[in-house]
Amino acid sequence: MKLIGLFLLVEASVTGAQSLLEATASDSQFSEFHDLLAASGLMSTSSSGSEQQTILVPNNDAFDNYRRATGRNFGSLSSPDLEDTLNYHSLQGALSSADIQNPRGLLSNTALKNPDRDNRGLDSNGAKKSQVVHISPEGEANGSRIKVRDAGGVNVKSGKGQEIVLDPAPGKWSGGIFYMVDGFLTLPVNQTDTMAAQGLTSFVAGLERYNISRGTNAAPNLTSVCPINEAFTNISRSCRNLTSGPGSLLATLTRHGLPDTYYTTNFTDGDLIYSQNGYPILVTRRNGSIFLNDAKLVGTDFIASSGAVHALDRIMGFLNTTTNITTPANADIYRYPSNIPNPPPESSSPSTSTSPPTAIPTPLWFISAGNSPVMRWKSQPQPLILGFFMVEAWKYLILE
């Protein structure tokens, strides 16, 4: 088996230091992990590189729990899935106990770069971004979905928003640090499967209604902020028959897509960001909670292959950037769609804000709106990610 990524550093690179294989051999809690390393042939691969890393080492309970849940051994995974999982357990840098217990949480890059599991696009230097995990101490993560663990544990959130618990007592090996965890990280899946895993099924149904699920899942570097089922269902009843305009279901769906990757670690208080169809969103951090306009994040940092999914307690309201007053997106405003504002023109966006999306180099997905277009455009045509799908679009959107 050929494993790629930082996880390969299992032999000693410092004289007298223990390799990962040797370090885990000294603790009986890691006997199954140690046997997996030895059996997989990892010992045959060495590295003289100096880059430090942090390995999340599953204890024997993790292997037992996997067997009970699946009826098979973890080592029986297909080679690609085993490779991806082990690389996902390798974090970049030697993270100290203080790092992983940061009260604001920590977003850590991993060695996982398989395009099927990591579609987060390129960084500012043009290099492919690696997949991430979100680490947070007990009681610090936002949202009612976070489970309270035993005192002293640290949550590590991975694909589909699934969590395992990390023991913050570090171990040392020649390549950096390792920590014991009580389970295996879940490999990230696409946006809609991540939404469904967290019960955000009404939002998924809305995407499917407009046949834009595939575009949602193909677009890289995307954040979906999804109202919980009850909130979304109440509004969708009012707007589902509107085929155009800012009060339509399509426009409402698109307004909850953000053209970048946002986690709780980079939602900064006071930031003004824009949805994929150009609506302004004010980020507010208050009393340990995060608000996007008037909507509170009640489920956070669900890692998806292309970015992140968060859950909101309501449909986001409409922000007036002059007064900073938000008009709630309740059933009353949807009864009178003429009251719903259009997105502001790009020229009116403050220079310090994250401007509405303009263009990307190459379209990644194309979905036709059919013979009865629900949008019209102006300015010069250029490729644009709009909402959850890719179209050969005009510079910015004017909804009919």
Side-chain angles (χ1 to χ4, degrees), residues 60-74 76-77 162-164 182-186:
N60 290 346
D61 287 342
F63 286 84
D64 289 339
N65 292 335
Y66 183 88
R67 274 190 291 270
R68 282 195 291 269
T70 66
R72 60 179 182 170
N73 292 323
F74 176 76
S76 67
L77 284 174
Q162 299 301 304
E163 297 177 27
I164 60 176
D182 71 349
F184 293 96
L185 297 174
T186 301

Side-chain angles (χ1 to χ4, degrees), residues 65 89 101 181 208 271 277 293 304 317 322 332 354 365 378 382:
N65 292 335
H89 276 251
Q101 296 182 89
V181 292
E208 292 175 347
D271 271 4
N277 55 350
N293 290 345
T322 301
D332 288 338
T354 302
W365 199 260
K378 75 175 187 179
Q382 49 190 308

Side-chain angles (χ1 to χ4, degrees), residues 106-385:
L106 171 70
L107 194 70
S108 179
N109 289 294
T110 73
L112 178 59
K113 292 188 176 183
N114 178 353
D116 293 336
R117 304 295 185 178
D118 173 40
N119 185 27
R120 299 198 316 128
L122 306 178
D123 63 21
S124 57
N125 297 318
K128 178 176 171 54
K129 295 178 181 178
S130 61
Q131 192 51 267
V132 298
V133 293
H134 184 268
I135 304 173
S136 62
E138 292 298 348
E140 298 295 341
N142 293 304
S144 58
R145 289 183 179 274
I146 304 302
K147 295 180 180 179
V148 177
R149 306 283 191 172
D150 294 336
V154 174
N155 289 320
V156 184
K157 191 174 287 188
S158 59
K160 298 184 180 181
Q162 299 301 304
E163 297 177 27
I164 60 176
V165 177
L166 178 152
D167 184 334
K172 292 184 178 181
W173 67 291
S174 59
I177 303 292
F178 68 89
Y179 292 97
M180 181 174 69
V181 292
D182 71 349
F184 293 96
L185 297 174
T186 301
L187 293 172
V189 293
N190 62 39
Q191 290 269 330
T192 55
D193 284 348
T194 303
M195 296 172 196
Q198 290 297 324
L200 301 168
T201 52
S202 292
F203 198 87
V204 175
L207 296 175
E208 292 175 347
R209 177 182 175 91
Y210 281 96
N211 195 29
I212 53 178
S213 296
R214 288 190 301 166
T216 302
N217 294 329
N221 206 29
L222 177 69
T223 301
S224 302
V225 286
C226 308
I228 59 175
N229 287 349
E230 181 180 2
F232 189 77
T233 300
N234 289 340
I235 295 301
S236 65
R237 289 171 182 158
S238 301
C239 64
R240 68 177 56 175
N241 293 324
L242 297 174
T243 58
S244 63
S248 69
L249 180 57
L250 177 60
T252 301
L253 290 163
T254 308
R255 195 159 53 84
H256 288 77
L258 311 182
D260 205 342
T261 306
Y262 293 93
Y263 307 92
T264 51
T265 52
N266 64 330
F267 274 130
T268 303
D269 186 50
D271 271 4
L272 189 64
I273 59 181
Y274 285 84
S275 70
Q276 295 235 24
N277 55 350
Y279 280 92
I281 300 168
L282 179 64
V283 179
T284 305
R285 301 185 80 113
R286 185 171 65 245
N287 298 327
S289 296
I290 299 174
F291 294 83
L292 304 182
N293 290 345
D294 58 339
K296 178 181 177 181
L297 270 66
V298 293
T300 60
D301 298 309
F302 308 141
I303 307 298
S305 56
S306 59
V309 173
H310 306 277
L312 300 175
D313 69 342
R314 68 191 68 187
I315 302 284
M316 281 192 295
F318 300 91
L319 176 71
N320 184 319
T321 56
T322 301
T323 63
N324 271 355
I325 295 175
T326 297
T327 300
N330 53 31
D332 288 338
I333 193 172
Y334 276 94
R335 288 194 188 99
Y336 305 98
S338 60
N339 292 333
I340 299 177
N342 284 293
E346 184 177 345
S347 59
S348 71
S349 304
S351 59
T352 57
S353 303
T354 302
S355 299
T358 52
I360 63 170
T362 306
L364 298 178
W365 199 260
F366 176 82
I367 293 183
S368 171
N371 295 326
S372 302
V374 295
M375 325 175 172
R376 55 187 170 86
W377 314 81
K378 75 175 187 179
S379 190
Q380 297 300 314
Q382 49 190 308
L384 170 71
I385 298 180

Side-chain angles (χ1 to χ4, degrees), residues 6 53-54 56 88-93 95 108-110 133 135:
L6 301 178
Q53 59 201 292
T54 299
L56 305 184
Y88 203 20
H89 276 251
S90 176
L91 315 185
Q92 296 178 14
L95 303 177
S108 179
N109 289 294
T110 73
V133 293
I135 304 173

Side-chain angles (χ1 to χ4, degrees), residues 24-84:
T24 54
S26 63
D27 192 330
S28 62
Q29 296 182 93
F30 301 135
S31 61
E32 293 213 48
F33 179 79
H34 175 272
D35 292 346
L36 177 66
L37 287 186
S40 63
L42 286 173
M43 288 186 66
S44 64
T45 305
S46 62
S47 172
S48 59
S50 60
E51 186 171 359
Q52 296 283 286
Q53 59 201 292
T54 299
I55 307 298
L56 305 184
V57 179
N59 60 18
N60 290 346
D61 287 342
F63 286 84
D64 289 339
N65 292 335
Y66 183 88
R67 274 190 291 270
R68 282 195 291 269
T70 66
R72 60 179 182 170
N73 292 323
F74 176 76
S76 67
L77 284 174
S78 66
S79 293
D81 284 347
L82 182 60
E83 174 181 334
D84 287 344

